Structure formats: structure tokens, C-alpha cells
Amino acid sequence: MSMAGLTVPYVDADLEARVRAGLEDVERQLVTAVASRFDFVTETARHLIDAGGKRFRPLLVLLAAEFGDPTAPGIVQVAVIVELTHLATLHHDDVMDEAVLRRGAPSANARWNNTIAILTGDYLFAKASDRMVELGLEAVRIQAQTFSRLVEGQIRETLGPSEGEDPLEHYLAVLADKTGSLIATSARLGAKLAGASPEVEKVVTEFGEKIGVAFQLSDDVLDIASDASQSGKMPGTDLREGVATLPVLLARQSKDPADERLRTLLSGPITNDDDHAEALALLRAHPAMEQAQAIVRQWADDARQTLSMLPDIPARDALDALCDIVVSRTG
């Protein structure tokens, strides 16, 4: 099954059929969920939905639900909710990053303006919260706690590491909050709503957080290594803003005198186009890229190890395959 570059190999035809049908249902419900009585609000809310996406979080909901009753009420609904929450954060991220592309299309802030993008993000989160209420108080609390972690992670990223804190450790902690938390919650709620055991729920939550960090780290590598047609956004966006992602943090650690020019370029935002192109070229050829790929593999392997505690069913094989997919994206 392909999803904007992700291909999940399924060993079980019934599982593939259920997941495919579930994701198709998610697409339909996403469009319905954001409809407004004001046409312009509907247009802005659908902007990123129509641009497509990997739907990684809904996929995890559906696969985690396989460890209980995958036909239980609310499974597809919670898949829609976590995707709406994710889309809401993307709108806000693009404003903070001054991004011009998202999923191969102009970002909302570029197409309209920052105010519209921020308000659209707020609207999407409101729609997600409204739907979550139908799933009960515990689900609402989990969503609220997750969104709190998302915001805390964004604030910590904005502030940067504190004095004496290792920048790489700080960054990984930020990713666990910003990205890992919602992916973990996706798996957790899928298992919970399907009636899986507390033990299974705990394991898939741990898996979700680890594979979520791995997935974001692989995005860091792709942001440097790929072009806009592959990643759907402008390469090196974070370089322009001076946001230190994994390859940048690793390159900054280099003591090699030959890297002095690269370290200088990576010391802050790169607003000059020529400097930006030079930094990208130097970074792409730097050993930091291979080091970053190795770190992605380690996180994916750590996620894979948690799966041994799950029942041996086809969904476990699919989750295992996700680990390989995350790693292969950086190759």
C-alpha cells in the first residue's frame, strides 16, 4: 500500500484490506470533519488535507487496533482526530519556520498569510477536540496531555538548550515531545478503543514514541539530502532559520579544521541564497550525514525491539516493516 512515498508490505491480505478500507474512510471523514458554514474556512482547512500526506498517525491507530477488535466503534474516528491534530500543528509550525512549501504545495501562510494559517490551525484543533468528546473523558484527557507535550516541545525548541545541556540530548527530548508524543498517542488510542489489554497498550505506546522520533530524525536527513520534489518542501528550510536538526548538530561537533567554513555557516540563520546552497552542499558531503543515518537506525531498532512483547499477528509484522521503511527513507 503506497502513501506518498511510504509502502507498507503486508503478509496478510485481510489485514491489508482492513487497513486500506480504514484509511479510505479516514480520508472521507477528514473532509467532512473540517467543513464550515463559511466557504473560505472550509477552503483553508482543507488545504493540507487535499495536499495529501503519509497519514502515518492514522495508520498506527489502525494497526494498533488489530491487537483488539479492529471493528470497534471509534477506531476510524480517533484516526481522524490524531490527523487533524497533526495538521493543526503543521499550520503553526509553518508560521514559526516561515515555510513556503508543505507537501509539495504552498504552505497556508505563503498562500494567504500568517494570521490565516494560525487561525486555521486553531480551527483544526477545535474540530479534533469536538470529535474527541464523543470518545469519553479519558480520551479527552489523553489528547489534552499530548497537546501539552507538543506545545512544551515547541517552546523548548524555540528557547534552545539551557547552559551546560548537551544540544543533541536537548534536541532528542524536543522531538520526543513534538513528534513522538502524538504518534505514541495514536497507537495508544487505537489499542485502547479496540479493547486491547493494558500490557499491549503500554507496548504500542512505547513503540509509537520511538518510531515517531526515528521518523522525525529521518525527515531531518531527507531535508538535507533530498530536493523539493522528493520531500514536498524546500530543502534546508531549517538551515535558513538557524534551527539545528540532527545533521547540523553532528556537523557542529566536528573538530576537523577542514570543516571550519561549514561550522561558520551553521552557526546561525542562513539568509543568503549562495551561502545556503554552499552549506547544503558541504553538509551533504559531510560524515555527519552517515552518522545521522546511524542514529535513525538505532531509534528504529529500539522501536523494533519493543514489538517482541506483542502477540505474533500480522499487524506486528506490519509494525516491524515500518521500522525498515523509516530507515530506508534516509538511504
Side-chain angles (χ1 to χ4, degrees):
M1 178 182 296
S2 297
M3 295 173 300
L6 284 184
T7 302
V8 183
Y10 292 98
V11 298
D12 183 84
D14 290 339
L15 171 63
E16 180 174 7
R18 283 194 299 274
V19 172
R20 185 185 298 277
L23 289 173
E24 289 172 353
D25 202 2
V26 167
E27 290 301 316
R28 288 190 292 269
Q29 290 197 32
L30 280 171
V31 172
T32 303
V34 302
S36 167
R37 57 200 173 103
F38 301 107
D39 290 344
F40 180 72
V41 175
T42 301
E43 181 185 1
T44 62
R46 284 191 56 170
H47 181 61
L48 286 185
I49 293 173
D50 292 342
K54 293 174 285 291
R55 306 296 188 242
F56 192 59
R57 291 151 190 82
L59 175 65
L60 275 187
V61 171
L62 297 174
L63 290 176
E66 290 286 326
F67 295 95
D69 177 7
T71 65
I75 301 296
V76 170
Q77 178 153 326
V78 85
V80 171
I81 289 166
V82 295
E83 186 67 8
L84 287 175
T85 304
H86 173 55
L87 292 171
T89 67
L90 293 184
H91 281 281
H92 291 170
D93 282 352
D94 284 346
V95 171
M96 296 185 69
D97 297 342
E98 298 180 14
V100 295
L101 275 183
R102 170 68 71 174
R103 297 179 172 178
S107 59
N109 48 298
R111 179 170 174 178
W112 294 288
N113 56 48
N114 284 347
T115 301
I116 294 298
I118 291 169
L119 291 173
T120 300
D122 293 344
Y123 176 79
L124 291 171
F125 184 65
K127 288 295 186 180
S129 300
D130 182 51
R131 286 190 158 228
M132 189 65 91
V133 170
E134 300 173 14
L135 301 178
L137 184 60
E138 187 175 11
V140 171
R141 182 176 290 114
I142 290 170
Q143 184 205 27
Q145 291 170 344
T146 302
F147 202 67
S148 174
R149 281 189 67 189
L150 282 166
V151 174
E152 286 172 349
Q154 187 67 66
I155 291 173
R156 289 184 66 192
E157 180 181 75
T158 303
L159 292 175
S162 56
E163 187 175 351
E165 185 179 9
D166 179 77
L168 184 54
E169 290 182 8
H170 167 82
Y171 182 63
L172 292 173
V174 164
L175 291 195
D177 285 342
K178 272 190 63 178
T179 304
S181 63
L182 184 57
I183 293 176
T185 291
S186 301
R188 179 183 181 183
L189 289 175
K192 180 182 288 293
L193 289 173
S197 70
E199 292 78 16
V200 164
E201 185 183 326
K202 181 179 179 182
V203 172
V204 297
T205 303
E206 182 182 350
F207 171 83
E209 181 132 347
K210 288 179 177 178
I211 200 67
V213 172
F215 202 82
Q216 182 56 55
L217 292 174
S218 73
D219 267 359
D220 286 358
V221 176
L222 285 174
D223 182 53
I224 301 299
S226 65
D227 58 32
S229 65
Q230 291 173 287
S231 64
K233 53 188 177 182
M234 293 301 294
T237 298
D238 290 321
L239 285 179
R240 289 192 181 277
E241 298 303 308
V243 176
T245 56
L246 181 62
V248 171
L249 289 168
L250 294 170
R252 282 180 178 175
Q253 292 176 352
S254 170
K255 305 298 183 185
D256 190 335
D259 292 333
E260 183 178 353
R261 173 58 178 166
L262 177 58
R263 287 195 298 269
T264 300
L265 288 168
L266 299 180
S267 62
I270 307 175
T271 54
N272 179 276
D273 287 345
D274 290 339
D275 287 347
H276 183 262
E278 182 184 0
L280 265 182
L282 290 172
L283 197 51
R284 285 169 174 168
H286 196 276
M289 294 299 286
E290 289 185 9
Q291 294 169 7
Q293 290 168 351
I295 291 174
V296 172
R297 283 195 296 273
Q298 184 60 59
W299 275 91
D301 286 344
D302 287 350
R304 192 195 312 274
Q305 288 177 13
T306 66
L307 298 176
S308 64
M309 295 178 279
L310 291 175
D312 186 7
I313 62 173
R316 191 179 82 173
D317 295 330
L319 292 175
D320 187 277
L322 281 179
C323 300
D324 294 327
I325 290 168
V326 168
V327 171
S328 66
R329 297 172 80 226
T330 66

